[in-house]
Amino acid sequence: MPTIHNLEKRLRSYLDDDQIAQVVRAYHFAEQAHEGQYRRTGDPYITHPLAVANILTDMHMDHASLMAAMLHDVIEDTGISKEQLAGEFSEEVAELVDGVSKIAQIKFESKAEQQAENLRKMMLAMTRDIRVILVKLADRLHNMRTLGALAPEKRRRIAKETLEIYAPIANRLGMHSLSTEFEDLGFKAMYPMRSMLIDRAVRNARGNRKELLNRILESLQACLEREGLQGKVMGREKHLYGIYQKMRGKKKSFNEIMDVYAFRIIVDKPDTCYRVLGAVHSL
Ligand code: MN
């Protein structure tokens, strides 16, 4: 179980003592405010804001964002006002917490794709400070990771919202590993059977695939070297929800989905890009 003490240690890698002390103070304030409240998992409520702050620490977010993470449910759930937070901490932190609370009040009852698009736009537009969105995304990520504790109906509603609103926003912000995790967690909660079957199919098919992934990677690297081209080669397997969307969109069976791998070659300029493309084509 993560503790504030562990977080403090992690923060020393990029924040100064004063900033860390402020984060710790926000933690203790939130701990007191949520006193007596528990998560559906049975854990004391404070474990949630602490987990959100840990996610934002992975992203190396600034101390004000981490303080907002600690305090993000305080206005909603404990009746402490924005003004009180401004007095206790700063106007900046109070604004962030208030922004996160306001997003929570938007009603996501989207049925149509169109409407989901409008909601995404609205959410981005009403937020003057992008850090509000990042705190909200981290909040949602922790809720998705602990989704199992909720009743099925509520679980599905949150999963749907995550797939329609949060995953695309994370993707638009260029946070791909975040959007991938949103998609796989959302997929699993929305369609447990489909997710399980695809997961099993991928495992079965994988057998020698991991090996194959490396062989392709090495041959691409060797090819660049032979041609004297500079580039960074990265390979990955498609994630479950990506495969599912493809199967559904193109009405194909799992065995017909050929592109379960993707490779990316990062180069310095367009000229190199075309040279690399040529070299790969002739490989
Ligand atoms: Mn929360």
Side-chain angles (χ1 to χ4, degrees), residues 59-95:
M59 305 175 188
H60 279 204
M61 292 293 292
D62 69 342
H63 74 286
S65 306
L66 298 175
M67 292 169 75
M70 295 299 188
L71 300 163
H72 81 271
D73 281 326
V74 153
I75 293 182
E76 276 276 288
D77 295 345
T78 76
I80 283 168
S81 69
K82 181 183 171 189
E83 289 68 33
Q84 268 173 285
L85 288 182
E88 187 73 33
F89 299 100
S90 66
E91 196 63 48
E92 183 189 17
V93 170
E95 282 291 340

Side-chain angles (χ1 to χ4, degrees), residues 39 45 48-49 52 69 72-73 77 100 136 139-140 142-143:
R39 294 276 285 172
Y45 198 87
H48 166 61
V52 174
H72 81 271
D73 281 326
D77 295 345
V100 176
K136 187 65 203 170
D139 173 41
R140 176 51 60 107
H142 183 245
N143 285 335

Side-chain angles (χ1 to χ4, degrees), residues 229-257:
L229 295 166
Q230 295 277 339
K232 188 177 170 202
V233 186
M234 290 181 290
R236 63 176 176 86
E237 277 183 282
K238 264 216 168 69
H239 65 295
L240 297 188
Y241 190 63
I243 295 174
Y244 172 66
Q245 278 180 313
K246 192 138 198 181
M247 286 169 67
R248 213 177 57 160
K250 306 219 156 140
K251 306 228 181 306
K252 287 189 167 182
S253 71
F254 179 78
N255 290 325
E256 292 172 281
I257 305 290

Side-chain angles (χ1 to χ4, degrees), residues 46-270:
I46 190 66
T47 56
H48 166 61
L50 181 60
V52 174
N54 265 292
I55 292 170
L56 292 167
T57 300
D58 295 337
M59 305 175 188
H60 279 204
M61 292 293 292
D62 69 342
H63 74 286
S65 306
L66 298 175
M67 292 169 75
M70 295 299 188
L71 300 163
H72 81 271
D73 281 326
V74 153
I75 293 182
E76 276 276 288
D77 295 345
T78 76
I80 283 168
S81 69
K82 181 183 171 189
E83 289 68 33
Q84 268 173 285
L85 288 182
E88 187 73 33
F89 299 100
S90 66
E91 196 63 48
E92 183 189 17
V93 170
E95 282 291 340
L96 289 172
V97 175
D98 187 51
V100 176
S101 306
K102 284 199 171 120
I103 290 179
Q105 283 157 18
I106 308 177
K107 283 278 163 272
F108 295 104
E109 282 156 0
S110 88
K111 298 284 177 285
E113 190 66 19
Q114 175 75 41
Q115 211 181 341
E117 172 65 26
N118 286 338
L119 280 168
R120 291 197 291 269
K121 278 189 185 146
M122 186 166 107
M123 200 165 132
L124 289 171
M126 65 180 268
T127 309
R128 277 165 298 169
D129 189 330
I130 193 69
R131 292 177 299 178
V132 168
I133 300 279
L134 296 176
V135 173
K136 187 65 203 170
L137 290 175
D139 173 41
R140 176 51 60 107
L141 184 60
H142 183 245
N143 285 335
M144 286 302 291
R145 285 176 178 170
T146 52
L147 200 60
L150 296 181
E153 193 51 40
K154 192 166 185 199
R155 204 187 305 164
R156 265 194 300 277
R157 186 180 59 74
I158 293 177
K160 187 170 195 292
E161 197 177 281
T162 300
L163 289 175
E164 289 181 358
I165 314 286
Y166 291 95
I169 287 179
N171 190 49
R172 194 156 310 175
L173 294 174
M175 307 172 85
H176 298 291
S177 68
L178 187 60
S179 87
T180 299
E181 189 172 351
F182 276 145
E183 288 190 345
D184 282 345
L185 290 170
F187 180 41
K188 199 169 154 197
M190 274 292 276
Y191 305 109
M193 281 303 282
R194 298 176 202 191
S195 154
M196 195 187 76
L197 289 172
I198 293 181
D199 186 37
R200 196 182 293 162
V202 168
R203 276 173 214 272
N204 285 339
R206 189 181 281 150
N208 34 26
R209 265 186 188 166
K210 265 265 143 59
E211 173 78 7
L212 192 59
L213 200 75
N214 278 329
R215 279 212 335 253
I216 300 172
L217 194 86
E218 278 164 20
S219 89
L220 284 170
Q221 278 163 343
C223 168
L224 295 193
E225 213 159 294
R226 262 198 316 277
E227 305 290 331
L229 295 166
Q230 295 277 339
K232 188 177 170 202
V233 186
M234 290 181 290
R236 63 176 176 86
E237 277 183 282
K238 264 216 168 69
H239 65 295
L240 297 188
Y241 190 63
I243 295 174
Y244 172 66
Q245 278 180 313
K246 192 138 198 181
M247 286 169 67
R248 213 177 57 160
K250 306 219 156 140
K251 306 228 181 306
K252 287 189 167 182
S253 71
F254 179 78
N255 290 325
E256 292 172 281
I257 305 290
M258 302 308 286
D259 54 340
V260 285
Y261 316 115
F263 288 88
R264 201 171 272 167
I265 304 178
I266 311 285
V267 297
D268 57 348
K269 53 182 188 288

